[in-house]
Amino acid sequence: MSASVSHLVARLRALDVRVWSADGRLHYDAPPGVVTATLKAELAGRKEEILAFLREGRRRSAAVPLLERRPRAEAPALSFAQQRLWLLDQLGAGSAYNVSGAFRLVGHLDTLALERSLAEIVRRHESLRTTFEAVAGRPVQRIAAEAGLRLSLVDLQSSGPEGREAEARRLASEEARRPFDLTRGPLVRTTLIVLTEREHALLLTIHHIVADGWSLGIFARELAALYTSFAAGRGSELPEPPFQYVDFATWQREWLQGETLNRQVAYWRAQLEGATTLRMPTDRPRPAVSSFRGAVCFRLLPAGLLEAVGLLGQAESATPFMILLAAFQALLQRYTGQDDIMVGSPIANRNHAALEGVIGFFVNMLVLRTDCSGSPTFRQLVSRVRGVALDAYEHQDLPFEKLVEELGVKRDVAHSPLVQVTFALQHAPTEALELPGLSLRPQEVEVASTHFDLEMHLGESPAGLSAALVYDTQLFAPTTAERLLRYYERLLEAAVLHPETPIAALPLLETEERGEMLALGEGGRESYPREATVTELFEGQVERTPDELAVVFGEERLTYRELNARANRLAHRLRGLGVGREVRVGICVERSAELVVGLLGILKAGGAYVPLDPSYPKERLALMIEDAQVGVLLTEEGKRE
């Protein structure tokens, strides 16, 4: 089957258009306004190709093991995603993988009905009664018959209004950071904060190994339904889940092996061959071990911008996600100077309809690698992103954790494997739920952790496009996150209005900010002592800010103290070779931190540096060295000839 047909079907899925065949005819179901006249004509013109594609899909599906409820093994294996989180927990990830939610309850609260509802949710979902332990060095699941979930109660009614809210936020943040012991259950905690007689806050914390973000929505919907029944004196009216997460974990391991595994791995191996790590300039040196501490910066983008994104998407047969991702990758390209941009994108990974109501850790991460080279226009970049995304959707079944394992990526406690930056688009915000005499409204919880350098989360809302940038506080300052969001808005606005503009020419700065940046280069006539030398000025800066960053190149970071120490050692060595006043020192070094050390060391030794480009032919370099009467040559290992 041609790739173009598979791309079309993948694009339809991305647009939330469901296609199926019945009685030899093609049927589709889509949200209002999604199927334009152009798309309808394309579906009609390629009906036979699509029907053949669907028949081939059914043939392949027949070879896939059935997802069915299995007899409970004494110690079932973990899913691939769970296995990686278990390993990270063994390495000391702590609370970095907690999933937190909060709900504001306004009205008359029946606490007993709430407690019964929470207990029933835990009974319904085995994942919330699961713990993990190692047997002969291999992690296994233990599913308890009962979990013993306890609703903790905190009464803040005696505090003033402002004090209550501040203390509630502090408690929510503290609760989100409190680690779990995976060997002891339950791996879910609930806390009810009493603010007033008619206002409460419910805190929910679950370890990621048993739940994901989608699961929080399931939890809220079931809580509303069960509370409604119990408060009215009725029993649970929810049907039992047809499957449990352990059924999925067993099915996944049975299916993802042999030819199926090889086919998926072969695609991703080819797609990621020669990929380079994204080197984001950071405000602080990367620590040897990450603490996973995170914070978030918010920005509301104009409502009209979302409409413009949709119009460009229709013109380019691209989803809003693809347009927004293209703008984000263009920003990363501008910020890093790299043309090979890899971004992770989380997907729900609930491909079976029966799994949509199951609480568990299903979410998968797709690696979206885009080539930004050749100074493409934004329209051309959207086309590249579209192709990459559609291919990735076709091969989304390989768990990210299995991909890391199959590619032999070295695990590093300083950063995540393969991707350091992620991008996600939520299509609809969670709405408030109305219960008998009570409203339940989801609330934001202060971000306590992040597994990546940066996480961009976009959400569609009537007010516009909400942007939340989660950042690693060990690497970035809040002002940097704010600046990145401003740049993203400016670039996206220009890109969708003028898609023929090369991405290198898309503006990042507002007029006022651009003027401020240009003014920085003007300086002042008496901005520093005229009699001071460069090395004296540098050493003065070392005294003032010894531990601030002086040089950043790729993963390498040097503080002023470290740069000064290395330059001093080099200067001492050069003086031993006779370098002093009027002595010219050639420096033939690639752009690097070593180049800065070399230039500064030559000046400290009292000499004058002669820059030599290592890319020049040897004959030209020899002539330059002779003509400049270079007495000493600094170069890199392997370039001495």
Side-chain angles (χ1 to χ4, degrees):
M1 200 60 57
S2 67
S4 59
V5 179
S6 61
H7 274 190
L8 172 59
V9 175
R11 174 157 55 96
L12 293 172
R13 289 172 182 161
L15 290 167
D16 203 21
V17 178
R18 188 168 67 92
V19 293
W20 71 95
S21 62
D23 302 322
R25 300 174 61 188
L26 181 65
H27 301 263
Y28 67 84
D29 180 60
V34 170
V35 180
T36 62
T38 302
L39 182 56
K40 185 179 291 187
E42 187 175 8
L43 289 173
R46 306 184 67 179
K47 181 182 70 172
E48 294 304 323
E49 292 178 86
I50 298 172
L51 287 171
F53 180 87
L54 294 175
R55 285 194 297 271
E56 175 65 15
R58 284 195 296 271
R59 187 190 66 79
R60 289 189 178 184
S61 297
V64 177
L66 286 176
L67 177 61
E68 56 187 356
R69 198 173 181 91
R70 311 294 180 91
R72 292 294 172 261
E74 182 179 345
L78 283 60
S79 70
F80 292 113
Q82 285 181 318
Q83 186 167 312
R84 178 168 178 265
L85 281 201
W86 180 84
L87 177 61
L88 289 170
D89 185 78
Q90 302 302 299
L91 296 174
S95 63
Y97 288 91
N98 286 358
V99 178
S100 302
F103 306 93
R104 183 61 59 103
L105 306 171
V106 180
H108 173 70
L109 176 65
D110 184 336
T111 307
L112 180 59
L114 176 64
E115 289 182 318
R116 287 186 62 195
S117 301
L118 294 171
E120 175 63 7
I121 292 173
V122 174
R123 185 202 67 78
R124 287 170 50 80
H125 296 278
E126 289 181 354
S127 57
L128 300 181
R129 292 183 273 117
T130 300
T131 55
F132 302 84
E133 62 181 73
V135 176
R138 184 177 67 90
V140 297
Q141 302 187 57
R142 299 292 190 192
I143 302 172
E146 297 181 1
L149 178 67
R150 184 175 66 89
L151 178 63
S152 301
L153 190 66
V154 178
D155 194 336
L156 299 180
Q157 293 182 87
S158 60
S159 304
E162 292 186 4
R164 283 196 297 266
E165 293 296 335
E167 180 63 8
R169 287 193 298 271
R170 188 194 68 79
L171 288 172
S173 178
E174 182 181 274
E175 174 61 25
R177 288 190 170 96
R178 190 154 61 93
F180 286 97
D181 180 352
L182 297 189
T183 64
R184 300 176 59 188
L187 299 182
V188 52
R189 295 191 297 262
T190 55
T191 301
L192 183 66
I193 301 176
V194 184
L195 299 169
T196 68
E197 186 177 340
R198 292 185 56 81
E199 192 164 4
H200 300 73
L202 177 65
L203 307 182
L204 172 66
T205 309
I206 313 177
H207 196 284
H208 203 359
I209 201 168
V210 296
D212 52 21
W214 182 295
S215 299
L216 292 183
I218 298 171
F219 197 103
R221 290 191 296 273
E222 291 199 357
L223 178 63
L226 291 167
Y227 180 90
T228 299
S229 296
F230 292 150
R234 303 191 301 270
S236 170
E237 298 173 351
L238 291 176
E240 288 294 306
F243 303 108
Q244 295 288 341
Y245 184 80
V246 68
D247 298 316
F248 166 79
T250 304
W251 170 87
Q252 184 189 60
R253 288 192 172 272
E254 288 180 359
W255 173 63
L256 208 57
Q257 55 183 313
E259 181 185 348
T260 301
L261 176 62
N262 293 338
R263 186 171 59 248
Q264 291 272 338
V265 171
Y267 166 79
W268 286 108
R269 192 183 299 279
Q271 176 67 9
L272 302 179
E273 184 179 5
T276 56
T277 301
L278 191 65
R279 298 187 294 272
M280 282 292 294
T282 59
D283 299 313
R284 305 180 183 94
R286 185 181 296 277
V289 178
S290 175
S291 70
F292 302 103
R293 285 296 178 94
V296 63
C297 179
F298 295 98
R299 189 175 183 86
L300 182 63
L301 309 187
L305 188 53
L306 184 57
E307 183 180 354
V309 166
L311 290 174
L312 180 60
Q314 288 182 15
E316 299 301 314
S317 298
T319 63
F321 171 84
M322 296 170 187
I323 304 293
L324 296 168
L325 174 61
F328 187 59
Q329 291 188 309
L331 176 64
L332 295 176
Q333 191 276 336
R334 295 281 295 278
Y335 218 75
T336 63
Q338 296 175 243
D339 290 330
D340 187 8
I341 303 296
M342 284 204 310
V343 170
S345 181
I347 58 170
N349 196 34
R350 294 171 184 255
N351 297 325
H352 294 269
L355 296 176
E356 292 182 359
V358 177
I359 290 178
F361 182 22
F362 293 92
V363 67
N364 194 20
M365 182 73 70
L366 295 182
V367 183
L368 303 178
R369 180 188 184 188
T370 302
D371 177 11
C372 297
S373 65
S375 189
T377 65
F378 186 71
R379 191 185 302 277
Q380 291 170 331
L381 183 63
V382 168
S383 177
R384 295 181 188 183
V385 169
R386 177 176 169 273
V388 167
L390 293 177
D391 279 343
Y393 295 153
E394 287 187 58
H395 300 86
Q396 63 177 281
D397 294 317
L398 183 67
F400 179 77
E401 295 74 19
K402 189 64 176 174
L403 172 63
V404 170
E405 177 186 324
E406 291 291 331
L407 295 183
V409 178
K410 182 180 179 182
R411 299 187 183 276
D412 192 329
V413 291
H415 57 73
S416 62
L418 289 180
V419 294
Q420 288 74 52
V421 177
T422 66
F423 180 88
L425 172 64
Q426 283 81 36
H427 291 285
T430 306
E431 302 292 340
L433 300 173
E434 295 302 322
L435 313 180
L438 186 71
S439 70
L440 185 151
R441 186 175 70 252
Q443 284 192 304
E444 293 288 343
V445 178
E446 180 185 343
V447 173
S449 63
T450 178
H451 316 136
F452 305 94
D453 295 357
L454 294 170
E455 300 177 37
M456 175 68 94
H457 298 269
L458 298 178
E460 299 177 14
S461 72
L465 194 63
S466 63
L469 186 64
V470 182
Y471 59 96
D472 187 327
T473 56
Q474 287 185 297
L475 302 177
F476 300 101
T479 52
T480 298
E482 293 167 3
R483 185 167 61 250
L484 280 168
L485 283 181
R486 287 201 313 272
Y487 289 172
Y488 180 70
E489 178 181 348
R490 183 79 176 99
L491 185 148
L492 176 62
E493 187 176 55
V496 295
L497 292 177
H498 307 286
E500 296 303 330
T501 305
I503 61 173
L506 290 171
L508 300 180
L509 307 177
E510 297 290 350
T511 303
E512 182 179 346
E513 189 176 13
R514 180 177 174 81
E516 292 175 358
M517 294 288 286
L518 292 174
L520 291 175
E522 296 176 0
R525 294 186 178 181
E526 300 295 336
S527 58
Y528 59 87
R530 298 180 66 85
E531 67 280 0
T533 65
V534 171
T535 55
E536 288 171 343
L537 291 171
F538 173 75
E539 286 166 356
Q541 186 67 37
V542 173
E543 291 182 7
R544 289 190 295 274
T545 59
D547 297 317
E548 291 295 318
L549 275 179
V551 176
V552 176
F553 183 80
E555 296 294 323
E556 190 169 7
R557 307 288 191 271
L558 292 178
T559 64
Y560 279 97
R561 190 199 310 274
E562 292 166 338
L563 175 58
N564 192 48
R566 288 174 62 170
N568 283 341
R569 288 196 294 270
L570 176 60
H572 181 74
R573 176 77 183 278
L574 291 173
R575 284 177 185 150
L577 296 173
V579 174
R581 191 178 181 86
E582 303 297 332
V583 174
R584 297 167 191 173
V585 179
I587 180 165
C588 187
V589 178
E590 298 281 358
R591 184 178 179 183
S592 62
E594 294 299 327
L595 176 61
V596 181
V597 172
L599 296 176
L600 193 55
I602 293 169
L603 295 177
K604 280 176 169 280
Y609 62 80
V610 178
L612 302 168
D613 191 332
S615 66
Y616 286 172
K618 295 178 184 178
E619 295 76 10
R620 183 177 179 185
L621 289 174
L623 182 61
M624 292 173 68
I625 291 171
E626 181 182 357
D627 185 60
Q629 298 181 351
V630 168
V632 176
L633 177 64
L634 284 180
T635 187
E636 298 172 282
E637 193 72 31
K639 295 189 177 179
R640 295 178 181 176
E641 65 274 12

